[in-house]
Amino acid sequence: MGKYIWRKVNIWFGKEATRGTAVAPDLRCPKASLDFEDQSEKVIDESSIGVIEDSFDGHVVKQWAEWNFECNVYANAIWYILLNLFGSVATTGSTGEYTHEFSVDETNQHQSLTIGLADDTQDRQFPLAMIDSAEITAETWNFVTISSDFRSKKWADASLTPSYSNDFALLWKHVQVYLADDLTGLDSASSIQATQVTLTINKNLEDVDVLGSVQPLDFCNTFFNIEWSMELLWDDATYKNIYMDGVKKAMRIEIVDNDTTLSTGHPTLIFDLANVIMTEYAKNQDNNSLIRQTLTFRWLYSMTENSMITAKLINSQSAY
């Protein structure tokens, strides 16, 4: 068994037909970083047996796996993460171009995934993979990236063959941000000249541990909350006034690769937020730098739109 570097580790995703039953992962995702480890929790028997030593036995009581997976946002591969985040998707389109509309599934068991891992020493599948939280970041001179924290069941041996397909990386230059009074107004709103944006979606997983098994029966998403921060140069008090007055807005984050054409459209990822309120406001006061302001928003459920967030993904892949 030879030595190897972490760059040789391959990651797959697959959509499970039966929750918790591993499927053959079918789309490989180039990784920027992977912090992964199998976890094993022990219980120690500290009963006294007439000696001064503090314990005499130990047992495994829980096994699972934890992941932090970071990658550039690719228009085809991101479908799996969006499905796991939102729980529901509707797909339309024709050869070469497909539109995937994601909405929040109002259940506590969103669509589960199988994660495949292969390197020089192991081929393994990890069923019942669920995202606890994900953070999408766009900043100047860089790829749009996503960092996702998963939990899953422990591994099972598999036979996997690494193979990658061309995909569409989304970049900072493709990002536009819009703010309006409501969702309808976003279509005619002017783009905000942001320098950095970060979107954080929290699923707040809860392990379902049951008697008779060292593996969790399930990982259930509980309450769903979202935060958004944005940095831009200060040029007037518009956003400070929105913060002070508690004005609620609709927001759109639009990422469109206009340099690439599919059939007629372009690789696209859009998040629409029906109702946001600014919860924090700050600006730097460095004598020697341009003044920048940082805005933090909390996303609210809109009873008018019956929605907190939706996403639209346009790519070249129909079936997953």
Side-chain angles (χ1 to χ4, degrees):
M1 185 180 297
K3 306 294 189 295
Y4 65 95
I5 61 175
W6 203 241
R7 179 174 288 275
K8 298 192 71 178
V9 175
N10 300 278
I11 294 294
W12 283 260
F13 291 107
K15 174 186 173 183
E16 292 184 347
T18 301
R19 188 176 186 82
T21 300
V23 296
D26 55 12
L27 196 147
R28 293 81 177 168
C29 186
K31 71 180 191 306
S33 68
L34 175 66
D35 184 2
F36 153 77
E37 203 61 66
D38 294 300
Q39 303 292 331
S40 180
E41 188 171 312
K42 313 297 193 305
V43 63
I44 303 299
D45 193 338
E46 297 180 348
S47 303
S48 66
I49 55 172
V51 297
I52 65 171
E53 286 79 3
D54 72 340
S55 55
F56 70 94
D57 202 1
H59 301 273
V60 173
V61 293
K62 186 173 181 178
Q63 293 178 325
W64 74 103
E66 292 184 355
W67 312 70
N68 177 267
F69 175 69
E70 183 176 340
C71 64
N72 300 328
V73 172
Y74 299 97
N76 287 337
I78 194 67
W79 184 92
Y80 286 96
I81 293 177
L82 292 175
L83 178 62
N84 196 253
L85 280 173
F86 285 81
S88 179
V89 64
T91 298
T92 58
S94 57
T95 303
E97 183 173 327
Y98 299 90
T99 298
H100 312 275
E101 304 270 1
F102 296 88
S103 58
V104 177
D105 180 3
E106 295 292 338
T107 72
N108 296 110
Q109 290 180 301
H110 285 177
Q111 174 65 53
S112 58
L113 304 176
T114 293
I115 298 177
L117 183 147
D119 56 35
D120 286 3
T121 64
Q122 60 188 346
D123 286 5
R124 290 177 172 176
Q125 293 175 337
F126 297 79
L128 197 59
M130 296 294 296
I131 292 177
D132 184 41
S133 65
E135 182 175 278
I136 298 172
T137 302
E139 55 188 3
T140 52
W141 309 108
N142 210 340
F143 293 97
V144 180
T145 63
I146 183 165
S147 176
S148 303
D149 291 322
F150 287 88
R151 293 209 291 276
S152 71
K153 288 195 171 185
K154 64 172 288 190
W155 56 268
D157 287 328
S159 179
L160 305 172
T161 304
S163 177
Y164 292 87
S165 302
N166 289 330
D167 209 332
F168 312 100
L170 301 177
L171 303 167
W172 66 274
K173 66 178 181 176
H174 302 141
V175 180
Q176 302 286 346
V177 181
Y178 302 92
L179 203 64
D181 291 335
D182 52 37
L183 286 177
T184 302
L186 290 171
D187 293 333
S188 57
S190 298
S191 174
I192 297 171
Q193 294 180 320
T195 58
Q196 180 178 353
V197 293
T198 302
L199 165 66
T200 304
I201 300 177
N202 297 302
K203 302 286 292 296
N204 299 290
L205 287 188
E206 184 174 324
D207 297 9
V208 180
D209 299 318
V210 297
L211 298 175
S213 175
V214 297
Q215 291 202 64
L217 178 67
D218 206 345
F219 302 100
C220 290
N221 48 283
T222 58
F223 64 100
F224 187 97
N225 70 293
I226 306 171
E227 290 187 349
W228 160 265
S229 66
M230 173 171 60
E231 181 188 88
L232 61 159
L233 293 173
W234 164 274
D235 54 10
D236 61 37
T238 298
Y239 299 106
K240 178 65 175 291
N241 291 337
I242 291 174
Y243 168 70
M244 292 299 296
D245 296 339
V247 177
K248 300 178 185 67
K249 294 286 187 178
M251 182 175 285
R252 173 173 293 163
I253 306 137
E254 183 176 89
I255 312 171
V256 183
D257 178 6
N258 288 307
D259 301 322
T260 302
T261 300
L262 300 172
S263 293
T264 57
H266 311 284
T268 298
L269 175 58
I270 298 173
F271 295 98
D272 275 351
L273 306 122
N275 195 18
V276 303
I277 188 168
M278 197 186 309
T279 56
E280 295 180 29
Y281 178 89
K283 64 177 184 286
N284 75 311
Q285 300 180 38
D286 187 330
N287 285 340
N288 301 314
S289 301
L290 291 172
I291 300 174
R292 298 173 184 268
Q293 49 191 334
T294 301
L295 322 177
T296 302
F297 295 87
R298 179 72 178 265
W299 295 3
L300 310 172
Y301 183 83
S302 170
M303 289 186 284
T304 302
E305 300 292 342
N306 295 317
S307 172
M308 176 185 282
I309 180 175
T310 59
K312 180 166 73 173
L313 176 68
I314 300 174
N315 63 16
S316 64
Q317 188 151 336
S318 59
Y320 287 83

